[in-house]
Amino acid sequence: MAHTIVLFTQDLRLHDHPALDAASREGETVLPVFVLDPALLRRSARNRVRALLDILNDLREGLRSLGGDLVVRRGDTVTEVAALARETGADTVHVTEGVTRTATNRAERLREAGLRVVSHPGLTVVPPGDVTPASGDHYKVFTPYLRAWEAHPWRSVLPEPAEVRSPDGVDPGKIPARLDEGRGSLAERPLAMGESAARQRLCSWLDSGLADYPDRHDDLPAGATSHLSADLRFGCLSPLEAAVLARDEPGGAEFVRQLAWRDFHHQVTAAFPDMGVRDYRPRDTRWRDDPAALKAWKEGRTGVPIVDAGMRQLLREGFMHNRTRMITAAFLTRTLGVHWRAGAEHFADHLLDGDVANNNGNWQWVAGTGNDTRPNRAFNPLRQARRFDPEGVYVRRYVPEVAELPGRAAHTPWDSLLGPDDYPPPIASPGS
């Protein structure tokens, strides 16, 4: 009997998995594979490496409940997959199509190894190349993209396979108990990860959070967002399934719009894979080399509480509210004049949901080198703080030095006679 390999990458789930579904329907035995690639692990955040092990254990348990197993190998992905193909006689690899240069190169190398590579959707709601402007290429502005995205038919959500038949005699390999690889520091409170936990979060969000999302998504103290970003980043949740379940519910339209933004950044990255290293729209910006300011920003010691709160949340939780991501990014690039790449790299080193397309796309948007139609957009941190954290609750949560300052005074400790002695003055003006 012929065998087929399903290579898992950023699609670590069983529900709505087109690659796994197609391989299972071919009537062959299926070899689900994940490769712990040291080259990728070294570049990943420690938070994501730690989460990955829980996700793989959950995925293996799910596959075993269907009669299959997850084969785990360590090494160069293409080398390990090719070796498994030789061992089992497999000649086909099913994979969810990615948008990064890494994904493109991996698929090409698999073909060069003599394997038939079948790519499938699953990373986004609408595959990156499915909606294009009349001129071809890709959409560079979100609003026209959104109109085309909303008009485009979505594929049907696929159920979990009824059965996964894996070949006998293949060593499944061990999932390590821990990996001492990656960049950045570990968050204090790790999030439970894996498809099982992700689906529970999705159900809870749909039941008790979605309806209030349009009014509360920028409420910093409440943190009233879905907290599904890491689940989407690892593919523990299907973005399509999340969109289908949410779109007709109260509050669903605004949430689905955020999924459209995610798709938008993925189609931009597919067309411009250098999104993480080059300006999408060069502005000839003269960036400042200021190691001291960059260090203060990374550590949450800028003297601007709303900025420091966001940066400390990142270090403590491996997560940051989207509004604060914009505030902190704007402070680094617009106020301090430090290159967006330095900020994007720091975020990537710590975020559990760190995603090449969204992280770099959003950083370039804020810096004025990306897809914002207003590249000179003003972004006043203090006004943002007063609007989205009016009583200073979010700031006091993460910056204990200002905890004794009442209400909105927590945002301007330099104006208070009771200002803390152990908190630095602002390294740059936060506005007024």
Side-chain angles (χ1 to χ4, degrees), residues 208-230:
S208 59
L210 180 63
D212 293 331
Y213 182 72
D215 296 327
R216 303 188 67 195
H217 67 277
D218 277 323
D219 184 342
L220 290 176
T225 59
S226 71
H227 292 273
L228 299 174
S229 55

Side-chain angles (χ1 to χ4, degrees), residues 338-360:
V338 174
H339 203 296
W340 62 264
R341 283 200 301 265
E345 181 177 302
H346 182 70
F347 272 29
D349 286 351
H350 292 86
L351 283 172
L352 182 59
D353 62 26
D355 177 279
V356 171
N358 291 295
N359 186 44
N360 294 315

Side-chain angles (χ1 to χ4, degrees), residues 45-108:
R46 289 184 182 276
N47 285 322
R48 294 196 294 279
V49 173
R50 177 172 62 181
L52 177 62
L53 301 181
D54 289 339
I55 294 169
L56 293 178
N57 278 303
D58 186 76
L59 180 61
R60 170 172 279 177
E61 183 178 337
L63 284 165
R64 286 178 174 175
S65 73
L66 300 177
D69 206 339
L70 178 67
V71 176
V72 176
R73 294 290 185 266
R74 180 180 174 88
D76 172 72
T77 299
V78 174
T79 301
E80 295 301 321
V81 171
L84 281 167
R86 290 192 299 271
E87 178 185 343
T88 61
D91 63 359
T92 300
V93 178
H94 290 267
V95 64
T96 299
E97 188 169 21
V99 299
T100 63
R101 197 177 297 282
T102 296
T104 302
N105 290 344
R106 179 176 57 223
E108 182 58 33

Side-chain angles (χ1 to χ4, degrees), residues 7-12 17 33-34 52 77 95-98 106 123 233-235:
L7 177 60
F8 283 84
T9 55
Q10 287 181 261
D11 49 357
L12 302 176
H17 197 296
V33 177
F34 186 88
L52 177 62
T77 299
V95 64
T96 299
E97 188 169 21
R106 179 176 57 223
L123 186 64
R233 183 258 177 266
F234 283 99

Side-chain angles (χ1 to χ4, degrees), residues 25 119 129 148 192 221 260 353 366 389 429:
R25 288 176 182 273
S119 297
D353 62 26
V366 171
D389 185 26
S429 172

Side-chain angles (χ1 to χ4, degrees), residues 35-221:
V35 180
L36 294 163
D37 192 325
L40 298 180
L41 294 174
R42 284 194 297 269
R43 302 203 304 265
S44 297
R46 289 184 182 276
N47 285 322
R48 294 196 294 279
V49 173
R50 177 172 62 181
L52 177 62
L53 301 181
D54 289 339
I55 294 169
L56 293 178
N57 278 303
D58 186 76
L59 180 61
R60 170 172 279 177
E61 183 178 337
L63 284 165
R64 286 178 174 175
S65 73
L66 300 177
D69 206 339
L70 178 67
V71 176
V72 176
R73 294 290 185 266
R74 180 180 174 88
D76 172 72
T77 299
V78 174
T79 301
E80 295 301 321
V81 171
L84 281 167
R86 290 192 299 271
E87 178 185 343
T88 61
D91 63 359
T92 300
V93 178
H94 290 267
V95 64
T96 299
E97 188 169 21
V99 299
T100 63
R101 197 177 297 282
T102 296
T104 302
N105 290 344
R106 179 176 57 223
E108 182 58 33
R109 289 182 59 214
L110 286 168
R111 294 187 184 96
E112 291 173 353
L115 294 167
R116 182 173 74 100
V117 178
V118 184
S119 297
H120 299 269
L123 186 64
T124 53
V125 178
V126 175
D130 278 18
V131 290
T132 56
S135 60
D137 195 19
H138 69 287
Y139 280 98
K140 300 175 175 64
V141 177
F142 177 69
T143 301
Y145 173 79
L146 178 63
R147 288 195 293 266
W149 186 89
E150 290 175 329
H152 187 77
W154 295 352
R155 64 175 176 83
S156 298
V157 175
L158 297 168
E160 179 184 81
E163 180 185 28
V164 175
R165 293 185 297 158
S166 295
D168 296 328
V170 178
D171 178 11
K174 293 183 178 180
I175 299 173
R178 59 175 294 176
L179 287 171
D180 294 320
E181 292 169 275
R183 303 173 62 169
S185 57
L186 285 172
E188 296 175 7
R189 298 194 299 270
L191 188 69
M193 292 294 295
E195 184 177 14
S196 302
R199 296 187 71 80
Q200 291 176 3
R201 271 191 290 274
L202 176 61
C203 289
S204 177
W205 167 244
L206 294 171
D207 289 342
S208 59
L210 180 63
D212 293 331
Y213 182 72
D215 296 327
R216 303 188 67 195
H217 67 277
D218 277 323
D219 184 342
L220 290 176

Side-chain angles (χ1 to χ4, degrees), residues 277-430:
V277 294
R278 288 199 295 129
D279 290 352
Y280 179 78
R281 287 177 170 156
R283 304 290 185 189
D284 297 323
T285 305
R286 300 184 68 177
W287 301 105
R288 293 176 59 237
D289 182 20
D290 192 336
L294 178 60
K295 182 175 185 292
W297 178 83
K298 288 181 177 181
E299 295 175 352
R301 298 284 297 171
T302 68
V304 181
I306 190 63
V307 173
D308 293 343
M311 299 308 296
R312 294 184 193 187
Q313 182 184 19
L314 173 65
L315 295 178
R316 185 190 302 181
E317 300 174 10
F319 174 82
M320 192 193 300
H321 192 290
N322 185 61
R323 174 58 55 176
T324 327
R325 295 188 199 203
M326 289 191 285
I327 294 171
T328 56
F331 188 79
L332 183 72
T333 58
R334 304 282 187 163
T335 304
L336 298 178
V338 174
H339 203 296
W340 62 264
R341 283 200 301 265
E345 181 177 302
H346 182 70
F347 272 29
D349 286 351
H350 292 86
L351 283 172
L352 182 59
D353 62 26
D355 177 279
V356 171
N358 291 295
N359 186 44
N360 294 315
N362 282 314
W363 267 95
Q364 291 222 40
W365 188 91
V366 171
T369 61
N371 296 91
D372 190 0
T373 56
R374 295 167 51 196
N376 297 316
R377 182 189 301 267
F379 215 96
N380 185 307
L382 195 51
R383 291 179 188 171
Q384 293 278 314
R386 288 168 173 162
R387 180 178 178 185
F388 300 113
D389 185 26
E391 296 302 317
V393 175
Y394 173 81
V395 158
R396 282 191 291 273
R397 184 181 302 156
Y398 295 102
V399 185
E401 297 97 318
V402 302
E404 300 304 317
L405 295 178
R408 63 191 300 166
H411 293 303
T412 55
W414 54 86
D415 285 341
S416 175
L417 295 176
L418 301 176
D421 295 331
D422 57 346
Y423 189 63
I427 62 174
S429 172

